[in-house]
């Protein structure tokens, strides 16, 4: 359900009951966007919230904002070797000039996902010299992006090639 309104130089768009699906993810969302005030019309003010029923973790690098440096996108592409996210909720709210809303008073950027069956090569092959660092496998836990930060909660899994070596972690990158 799409609606738009033009009032002079101001433009507003709203979308309700949005359902989407491709080979990477499927989900639903609702959003409203409007031009900013005065000279700050672009990129505008967004209020987006939705959920993903399921998403392929190996494809997440394709959806990182262009603001993320190419080296970081390449790292994510090479480091996330397997995994599925379920029950993902996302929210972007505020003037997009302030994105990713480091100060919560300016807006909100939030992604919360339950991750399972993940393989994470924290030192990807492209960055390794021999001997190779082992990947973490069979990872499960919660992944949270809030503002410019990232957090993993209650993660557990194994070290590749060492079946008796278990991993349990909570981590935060402000």
């Amino acid at each position: 359900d799409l609606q738009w309104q033009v009032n002079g130089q101001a433009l507003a768009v709203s979308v309700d009951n949005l359902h989407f699906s491709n080979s990477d993810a499927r989900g639903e969302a609702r959003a409203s966007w409007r031009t900013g005030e005065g000279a700050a019309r672009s990129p505008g003010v967004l209020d987006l919230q939705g959920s993903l029923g399921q998403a392929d973790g190996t494809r997440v690098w394709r959806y990182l904002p262009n603001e993320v440096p190419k080296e970081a996108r390449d790292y994510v592409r090479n480091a996330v070797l397997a995994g599925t996210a379920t029950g993902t909720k996302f929210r972007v709210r505020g003037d997009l000039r302030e994105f990713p809303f480091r100060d919560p008073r300016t807006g909100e950027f939030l992604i919360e996902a339950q991750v399972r069956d993940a393989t994470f090569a924290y030192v990807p092959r492209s960055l390794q010299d021999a001997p190779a660092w082992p990947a973490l496998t069979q990872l499960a836990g919660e992944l949270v992006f809030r503002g410019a930060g990232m957090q993993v909660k209650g993660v557990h899994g194994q070290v590749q090639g060492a079946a008796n070596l278990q991993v349990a972690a909570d981590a935060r990158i402000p």
Side-chain angles (χ1 to χ4, degrees):
D1 298 331
L2 174 67
Q3 298 178 0
W4 67 89
Q5 181 179 19
V6 178
N7 185 1
Q9 294 291 317
L11 176 63
V13 178
S14 67
V15 180
D16 289 317
N17 300 314
L18 172 66
H19 296 267
F20 55 90
S21 178
N22 66 16
S23 60
D24 301 337
R26 63 177 160 71
E28 56 188 48
R30 69 168 188 75
S32 63
W33 173 88
R34 64 177 171 79
T35 53
E37 302 295 325
R41 294 184 62 226
S42 180
V45 178
L46 178 65
D47 187 351
L48 166 69
Q49 66 180 21
S51 63
L52 300 175
Q54 189 167 351
D56 179 351
T58 64
R59 307 296 280 174
V60 72
W61 66 272
R62 297 179 65 197
Y63 300 92
L64 295 174
N66 289 335
E67 177 181 283
V68 174
K70 181 183 182 319
E71 294 81 8
R73 289 192 309 271
D74 289 347
Y75 174 81
V76 172
R77 182 185 68 225
N78 295 326
V80 180
L81 304 178
T84 303
T86 59
T88 302
K89 296 177 182 173
F90 57 90
R91 177 80 193 252
V92 179
R93 181 187 50 79
D95 187 329
L96 293 173
R97 290 177 300 159
E98 301 293 332
F99 185 83
F101 310 113
R102 287 173 174 84
D103 179 348
R105 294 173 294 183
T106 64
E108 179 180 17
F109 173 62
L110 176 66
I111 301 172
E112 298 173 306
Q114 296 299 316
V115 176
R116 61 180 169 79
D117 301 324
T119 299
F120 179 59
Y122 53 94
V123 182
R125 291 263 182 226
S126 61
L127 299 176
Q128 292 188 33
D129 293 325
W133 286 79
L136 303 177
T137 64
Q138 299 176 10
L139 294 170
E142 184 178 10
L143 179 61
V144 178
F145 294 91
R146 184 182 311 273
M150 181 183 110
Q151 186 174 13
V152 292
K153 299 178 182 178
V155 172
H156 59 278
Q158 295 183 326
V159 175
Q160 187 175 40
N164 293 327
L165 187 55
Q166 303 292 310
V167 173
D170 289 304
R172 183 173 167 260
I173 301 172

